[in-house]
Amino acid sequence: MPDRCPRCRGALENPNAFVCPSCSYALRLPAVGKAGAALLGIGLLAFLVALFMPEEIWLTVLLGGTLALVAGLGALLTSGLLIGRARRA
């Protein structure tokens, strides 16, 4: 991790911080945000795959894709809340 903020060039005491303490620039994405982005990709891929599925399992694949999208959006919302909390601290 960098020892300086790329935006304000201020020194970072904690290299694992989510935001810069002086300018509140988001330095990194929490792991839950990375998992949320992966779940969004899986959900969209499930919707594309469902186009070519037989009729018997089509609804199951769509339901799985919808659940993956909802879980991914929830994880990204949690990531945003973590970054917002770090900015206020």
Side-chain angles (χ1 to χ4, degrees):
M1 295 302 295
D3 59 346
R4 295 197 155 301
C5 173
R7 184 178 186 192
C8 70
R9 305 304 295 165
L12 299 174
E13 303 92 31
N14 182 6
N16 294 327
F18 292 134
V19 296
C20 174
S22 59
C23 69
S24 297
Y25 178 74
L27 296 170
R28 65 185 184 100
L29 186 65
V32 69
K34 294 173 187 174
L39 282 171
L40 282 177
I42 290 169
L44 292 175
L45 184 65
F47 285 150
L48 290 175
V49 167
L51 293 174
F52 303 105
M53 285 287 157
E55 225 176 281
E56 298 82 32
I57 59 173
W58 179 77
L59 188 60
T60 306
V61 173
L62 281 181
L63 181 62
T66 303
L67 290 175
L69 282 175
V70 169
L73 288 174
L76 284 174
L77 176 66
T78 304
S79 173
L81 292 174
L82 286 173
I83 290 175
R85 182 182 297 162
R87 282 185 175 158
R88 287 187 296 273

